[in-house]
Amino acid sequence: MSGSNPYFEELRNASEVIDPPQNGDLLDVAEQQINDTADSSLKPNVAISSNVRELLECPVCLNAMYPPIHQCSNGHTLCSGCKPHVHNRCPTCRHELGNIRCLALEKVAASLELPCKYQNFGCLGIYPYYSKLKHESQCAFRPYSCPYAGSECSVIGDIPSLVSHLKDDHKVDMHSGSTFNHRYVKSNPHEVENATWMLTVFSCFGQYFCLHFEAFQLGMAPVYIAFLRFMGDDNEAKNYSYSLEVGGNGRKMVWQGVPRSIRDSHRKVRDSFDGLIIQRNMALFFSGGDRKELKLRVTGRIWKEQ
């Protein structure tokens, strides 16, 4: 196998990252390969020879190959994403690569139908080879990433497994009900790094919601932000709304919004400022006292839109 060849290992470990073609690029080319009768509807399961799948595996990046598939004069194939990185030399036989397309293999690929890679998560669909990537990018059964933002957690899974993971592995506080009243206390709030973020999970309406609270730099000024994420897809998240309120000394700030799906990363939501943002001076004013300690009480509720 090509995986044991030191030359392939060198290419894979090179500083330049070889990305597979983007969905839009390969679909434009692939549409020329597929007749109008091909679609991504559910079909009976089709057994595909592992040998055929291996033929469609790029020997360098090991990803599936999509048009244009290149070959050398000896018939060794290579994906279009890796071709610019091999200096016009076939990585298998080291002969000059040229600009030969392997049309036969492209036509073989167009005749294949494969199961979705998320079949273990419940997807039973069988899809044409050139439509499979597009489906998988939108598959309703694709797993979610762990919403815990305190570390680069790599765990993925469905919602029930992630809820158990948050509770057992991250020791996240779990609450039932659609209203909340949380107090955040931090010493030395002038150090942004000292105001570590917090995550609480709420269960209501048969769903789960993640309440985030943290400090971060907005330009040169440290600020605090609180926002809610929905543990499910965006189309379901839009069925709910939430409000957050923080105040003290006779003043208050109120935020109302729609929870973001955990399909959107924690950082993406935070950096879009889609939540209740409190400037540090205002947060310390709400805290009262000598302003040497952060004491914020955040209240809120979640409701389902009619």
Side-chain angles (χ1 to χ4, degrees):
M1 292 295 293
S2 60
S4 61
N5 189 319
Y7 181 68
F8 292 117
E9 294 297 330
E10 180 182 348
L11 285 171
R12 290 178 199 134
N13 296 327
S15 59
E16 294 178 287
V17 177
I18 300 173
D19 294 321
Q22 296 300 308
N23 288 348
D25 298 336
L26 62 90
L27 287 173
D28 290 341
V29 180
E31 286 175 355
Q32 302 171 14
Q33 307 284 338
I34 309 174
N35 60 41
D36 293 336
T37 61
D39 57 52
S40 58
S41 57
L42 298 181
K43 300 178 181 180
N45 196 9
V46 180
I48 303 299
S49 166
S50 60
N51 290 334
V52 176
R53 293 196 193 189
E54 288 179 5
L55 286 175
L56 289 164
E57 184 180 90
C58 174
V60 176
C61 65
L62 304 182
N63 292 322
M65 295 188 289
Y66 295 90
I69 298 175
H70 300 278
Q71 70 173 25
C72 72
S73 58
N74 288 326
H76 301 124
T77 54
L78 184 72
C79 78
S80 59
C82 291
K83 185 176 183 289
H85 300 273
V86 298
H87 309 294
N88 203 36
R89 290 289 174 183
C90 172
T92 302
C93 66
R94 306 308 299 272
H95 284 191
E96 186 174 347
L97 197 56
N99 290 300
I100 308 172
R101 277 182 68 174
C102 188
L103 297 177
L105 189 56
E106 292 178 10
K107 290 180 179 179
V108 169
S111 69
L112 297 181
E113 293 179 330
L114 301 172
C116 173
K117 71 177 181 179
Y118 300 124
Q119 59 181 343
N120 291 338
F121 290 92
C123 183
L124 302 179
I126 303 295
Y127 300 91
Y129 184 83
Y130 291 131
S131 301
K132 185 170 172 283
L133 269 188
K134 181 178 181 181
H135 160 76
E136 289 172 349
S137 70
Q138 304 168 347
C139 179
F141 292 93
R142 69 193 190 278
Y144 298 88
S145 297
C146 173
Y148 192 86
S151 62
E152 297 298 327
C153 183
S154 60
V155 170
I156 61 173
D158 57 16
I159 298 304
S161 66
L162 285 183
V163 170
S164 298
H165 165 68
L166 288 170
K167 180 181 178 181
D168 298 336
D169 298 329
H170 293 300
K171 311 302 180 185
V172 168
D173 289 337
M174 308 294 236
H175 296 271
S176 296
S178 58
T179 60
F180 43 89
N181 185 338
H182 279 267
R183 193 175 185 218
Y184 298 100
V185 179
K186 287 292 173 183
S187 59
N188 192 15
H190 293 281
E191 295 291 335
V192 173
E193 293 78 11
N194 185 259
T196 55
W197 72 277
M198 298 181 184
L199 171 64
T200 307
V201 173
F202 293 90
S203 172
C204 56
F205 307 108
Q207 307 288 349
Y208 291 93
F209 300 82
C210 297
L211 176 63
H212 296 266
F213 180 83
E214 66 180 275
F216 72 106
Q217 289 284 150
L218 180 57
M220 298 297 293
V223 299
Y224 300 95
I225 185 171
F227 57 87
L228 198 71
R229 287 202 291 166
F230 174 75
M231 295 189 71
D233 281 335
D234 186 60
N235 60 335
E236 296 179 87
K238 293 177 180 177
N239 295 325
Y240 301 90
S241 295
Y242 74 102
S243 64
L244 296 173
E245 181 178 311
V246 63
N249 289 331
R251 282 86 168 172
K252 68 179 180 180
M253 296 174 63
V254 179
W255 164 267
Q256 181 173 321
V258 176
R260 297 278 287 273
S261 165
I262 60 171
R263 295 284 188 205
D264 289 335
S265 70
H266 161 269
R267 182 179 294 275
K268 180 178 180 180
V269 179
R270 187 197 70 183
D271 292 350
S272 66
F273 315 130
D274 193 2
L276 175 64
I277 296 178
I278 313 159
Q279 300 289 337
R280 183 175 64 184
N281 288 341
M282 183 63 71
L284 293 176
F285 178 77
F286 288 155
S287 300
D290 56 7
R291 298 194 173 196
K292 292 183 179 180
E293 188 176 38
L294 178 71
K295 297 178 181 178
L296 284 181
R297 185 174 296 279
V298 178
T299 61
R301 70 183 184 96
I302 307 167
W303 65 92
K304 189 172 184 178
E305 296 291 350
Q306 299 299 322

